[in-house]
């Protein structure tokens, strides 16, 4: 029997390398030596790895050298994943969702069910949308030391520019070119200078505040407020509500039934079919068929025309004229009419007179103090502090005198304007008893019917002439 050759069943230690499909991890698997076979040295392992072209991790090689594990995959290299970039996108600076009316929570925790904030509003110059540019990622490395590129980023969608908007010079910002209501129509952002409400202003809409023109196709119900920069048009009835046009007019298609609680306040004109039980202020003219039991201030002319042309009850102050068919009622309802003084000028005149009187009192106090100190000075009885006080009082007198002179000039100017701007009261049908008319400084209490007439101030009293 032949002798077995030495080392015939001897097997040296071996290893195989495997790389993941994404080339981000490489592993080595060792097969142990048998029957005294040769063990791989660290240089042997490095040579095998280098032959595969892999860039090993030194820390991982050190672990392999210390803790050789067989028949098990051991990591020798890991790649560095690329840092992903971010896609471009559109940043909207307003809520694009279809907002459901939400009551406003007040600071004290109470809930205002009339303040629903359901209309999107903007001012000219507001930035509506910003294009955020894509940001490229950073490349990584695979186990072979080759770059791994991040996914390509996407550009932002085009800005949905509609009417009333403009792009910034760099094309990255959509800007409101006018103030108004922000609308999204067919995917485009539009600014409408007009807010149109198809129904009523009530609990479904809450109060309305808008920086343009407002058109309401229904009524404005009691207790609600409509406030606009521009003209307010109401097709229906204004109940005991507040309507304010800060720079425009108010147009009431069906009039105002105010219940002594309604407020109509317009910077320009007010036009209504009828006005009843309202507090009214107009910076321009007022035109209506009738005004009943209301308190009216108008800087221009009040014209009551149409079927009734009637003014009954309350008070009316017109800066220029009152033109009506009938003033007062057969029941002798108290009706106050004042014309010829611009309400804002009258108010300013009264304020100036009050301020002038206060200044005069202060001036007289200073004058008295100066006289007292001058007498002490003549007796050489002034110490240094009293001398300083004398100088201060003299300076204050000069300041007060200058202010009073300027104020008196303005008072005289307004008085002259009021004297020239004397208005008239015209009634093509009748002025009834109970009507008190003030024109300038003259008054007339009507005690019996006056047919078709025009009242004016003749310089001494109110004269009654034909309505021509």
């Amino acid at each position: 029997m032949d002798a077995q050759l030495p080392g015939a069943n001897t097997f040296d230690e071996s290893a195989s390398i495997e790389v993941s499909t994404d080339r981000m991890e490489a592993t080595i698997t060792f097969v142990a030596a048998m029957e005294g076979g040769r063990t791989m040295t660290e240089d042997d392992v490095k040579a095998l790895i280098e032959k595969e072209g892999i860039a090993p991790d030194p820390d991982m090689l050190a672990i392999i050298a210390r803790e050789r594990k067989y028949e098990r995959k051991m990591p020798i290299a890991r790649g560095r994943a690329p840092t992903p970039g971010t896609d471009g996108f559109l940043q909207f600076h307003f809520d694009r969702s279809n907002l459901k009316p939400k009551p406003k929570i007040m600071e004290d925790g109470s809930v205002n069910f009339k303040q629903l904030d359901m209309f999107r509003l903007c001012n000219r110059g507001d930035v509506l949308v910003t294009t955020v540019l894509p940001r490229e990622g950073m490349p990584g490395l695979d186990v072979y030391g080759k770059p791994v590129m991040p996914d390509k980023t996407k550009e932002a969608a085009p800005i949905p520019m509609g009417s009333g908007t403009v792009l910034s010079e760099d094309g990255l910002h959509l800007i409101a070119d006018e103030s108004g209501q922000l609308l999204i129509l067919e995917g485009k952002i539009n600014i409408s200078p007009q807010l149109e409400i198809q129904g009523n202003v009530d609990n479904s809409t809450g109060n309305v505040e808008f920086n343009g023109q407002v058109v309401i196709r229904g009524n404005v119900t009691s207790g609600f407020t409509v406030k606009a920069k521009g003209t307010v048009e109401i097709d229906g009835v204004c109940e005991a509500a507040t309507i304010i046009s800060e720079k425009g007019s108010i147009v009431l298609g069906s009039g105002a039934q105010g219940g002594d609680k309604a407020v109509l306040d317009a910077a320009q004109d007010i036009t209504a079919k009828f006005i009843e039980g309202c507090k009214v202020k107009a910076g321009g003219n007022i035109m209506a068929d009738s005004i009943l039991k209301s308190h009216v201030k108008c800087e221009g002319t009040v014209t009551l025309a149409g079927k009734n042309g009637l003014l009954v009850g309350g008070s009316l102050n017109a800066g220029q004229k009152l033109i009506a068919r009938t003033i007062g009622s057969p029941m002798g309802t108290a009706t106050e009419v004042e014309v010829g003084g611009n309400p804002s000028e009258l108010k300013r005149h009264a304020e100036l007179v009050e301020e002038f009187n206060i200044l005069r009192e202060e001036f007289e106090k200073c004058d008295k103090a100066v006289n007292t100190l001058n007498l002490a000075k003549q007796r050489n009885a002034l110490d240094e502090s009293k001398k300083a006080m004398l100088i201060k009082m003299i300076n204050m007198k000069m300041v007060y005198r200058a202010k009073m002179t300027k104020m008196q000039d303005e008072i005289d100017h307004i008085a002259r304007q009021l004297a020239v701007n004397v208005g008239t009261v015209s009634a093509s049908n009748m002025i009834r008893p109970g009507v008190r008319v003030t024109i300038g400084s003259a008054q007339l209490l009507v005690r019996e019917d006056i047919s078709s007439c025009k009242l004016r101030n003749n310089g001494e009293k109110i004269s009654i002439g034909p309505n021509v």
Side-chain angles (χ1 to χ4, degrees):
M1 185 175 189
D2 295 336
Q4 185 175 6
L5 295 174
N9 294 322
T10 299
F11 293 94
D12 293 339
E13 183 183 44
S14 63
S16 61
I17 293 176
E18 184 178 343
V19 178
S20 63
T21 55
D22 62 1
R23 303 185 303 174
M24 297 305 289
E25 184 178 50
T27 59
I28 187 169
T29 304
F30 289 94
V31 177
M34 296 181 61
E35 299 296 333
R38 178 175 174 274
T39 300
M40 297 178 69
T41 66
E42 186 175 341
D43 288 340
D44 292 334
V45 175
K46 288 181 179 179
L48 177 62
I49 294 172
E50 289 173 359
K51 182 179 179 181
E52 294 292 330
I54 293 170
D57 184 321
D59 293 336
M60 292 182 179
L61 288 180
I63 292 173
I64 290 171
R66 294 196 309 269
E67 305 173 8
R68 185 90 93 229
K69 296 178 181 179
Y70 296 100
E71 305 297 336
R72 183 183 299 180
K73 294 179 180 180
M74 301 181 69
I76 55 172
R78 285 194 178 93
R80 186 182 74 245
T83 302
T86 56
D87 293 336
F89 63 94
L90 295 180
Q91 181 181 4
F92 291 82
H93 300 291
F94 61 91
D95 188 351
R96 290 181 293 157
S97 63
N98 292 322
L99 297 175
K100 294 181 180 180
K102 297 178 181 179
K104 183 176 182 179
I105 308 298
M106 310 303 287
E107 290 185 2
D108 61 1
S110 61
V111 180
N112 186 349
F113 288 95
K114 294 179 181 178
Q115 197 69 36
L116 301 182
D117 296 329
M118 65 180 299
F119 303 108
R120 304 182 190 92
L121 309 178
C122 67
N123 295 310
R124 184 177 184 181
D126 286 353
V127 177
L128 306 175
V129 183
T130 296
T131 297
V132 179
L133 299 174
R135 182 175 61 83
E136 298 298 330
M138 298 293 293
L141 290 174
D142 63 15
V143 295
Y144 297 106
K146 295 180 179 180
V148 179
M149 302 306 296
D151 292 338
K152 190 171 180 61
T153 56
K154 298 178 182 179
E155 296 290 332
I159 288 182
M161 184 174 70
S163 64
T165 63
V166 293
L167 287 176
S168 59
E169 291 185 4
D170 59 11
L172 297 179
H173 305 282
L174 184 67
I175 301 171
D177 197 31
E178 56 187 333
S179 298
Q181 183 185 16
L182 195 153
L183 301 169
I184 299 178
L185 303 173
E186 298 180 350
K188 303 290 185 182
I189 296 173
N190 301 267
I191 307 298
S192 172
Q194 174 176 297
L195 171 63
E196 185 168 341
I197 299 173
Q198 293 299 323
N200 297 333
V201 172
D202 52 23
N203 286 321
S204 66
T205 63
N207 294 329
V208 175
E209 185 168 352
F210 188 61
N211 51 14
Q213 179 180 355
V214 174
V215 177
I216 299 166
R217 299 304 181 191
N219 304 324
V220 180
T221 58
S222 296
F224 287 88
T225 297
V226 176
K227 184 177 181 180
K229 294 288 186 185
T231 293
V232 178
E233 297 182 20
I234 302 170
D235 290 350
V237 174
C238 171
E239 298 178 2
T242 298
I243 313 297
I244 300 172
S245 173
E246 294 183 348
K247 295 183 178 180
S249 300
I250 295 175
V251 180
L252 306 179
S254 298
Q257 187 78 42
D260 296 327
K261 295 181 180 179
V263 174
L264 307 176
D265 189 342
Q268 298 182 23
D269 301 337
I270 295 178
T271 303
K273 186 174 182 181
F274 67 90
I275 297 172
E276 182 175 353
C278 299
K279 183 178 180 180
V280 184
K281 181 181 178 182
N285 302 317
I286 295 176
M287 179 173 285
D289 178 78
S290 60
I291 298 179
L292 310 175
K293 299 178 182 179
S294 296
H295 298 281
V296 179
K297 290 186 178 181
C298 171
E299 296 194 10
T301 294
V302 177
T303 302
L304 303 178
K307 181 180 178 180
N308 295 304
L310 179 63
L311 173 68
V312 175
S315 63
L316 184 145
N317 185 317
Q320 297 177 8
K321 301 176 184 178
L322 168 60
I323 302 172
R325 294 192 64 196
T326 302
I327 303 173
S329 73
M331 303 297 294
T333 304
T335 306
E336 297 286 338
V337 176
E338 182 177 357
V339 297
N342 185 303
S344 61
E345 289 187 344
L346 287 169
K347 182 180 178 182
R348 177 59 178 163
H349 186 271
E351 290 173 348
L352 284 171
V353 170
E354 183 178 357
E355 291 178 22
F356 182 87
N357 290 334
I358 293 172
L359 274 178
R360 183 169 57 188
E361 288 180 5
E362 296 300 319
F363 176 84
E364 289 173 353
K365 289 178 183 178
C366 280
D367 187 55
K368 185 176 180 180
V370 168
N371 291 336
T372 300
L373 291 170
N374 274 329
L375 289 174
K377 182 180 179 181
Q378 292 173 7
R379 298 193 306 269
N380 295 320
L382 285 184
D383 58 20
E384 292 302 320
S385 63
K386 294 291 179 65
K387 290 178 181 179
M389 183 179 293
L390 175 59
I391 294 172
K392 181 180 179 181
M393 290 294 104
I394 292 173
N395 289 335
M396 288 180 65
K397 271 188 65 177
M398 294 173 63
V399 170
Y400 284 140
R401 183 182 287 113
K403 286 183 178 180
M404 290 168 63
T405 300
K406 184 178 180 181
M407 198 172 290
Q408 186 65 59
D409 289 343
E410 188 175 356
I411 290 171
D412 293 343
H413 174 75
I414 294 176
R416 287 192 297 270
Q417 292 295 111
L418 292 173
V420 171
N421 185 22
V422 176
T424 59
V425 175
S426 302
S428 60
N429 180 32
M430 190 83 64
I431 300 180
R432 300 285 190 179
V435 175
R436 184 186 301 274
V437 178
T438 302
I439 305 177
S441 59
Q443 283 192 351
L444 171 67
L445 177 59
V446 179
R447 301 185 183 278
E448 58 184 23
D449 290 344
I450 306 174
S451 299
S452 183
C453 61
K454 177 179 287 188
L455 309 184
R456 55 169 51 89
N457 187 332
N458 64 12
E460 297 180 358
K461 63 179 183 178
I462 293 179
S463 64
I464 304 172
N467 184 32
V468 292

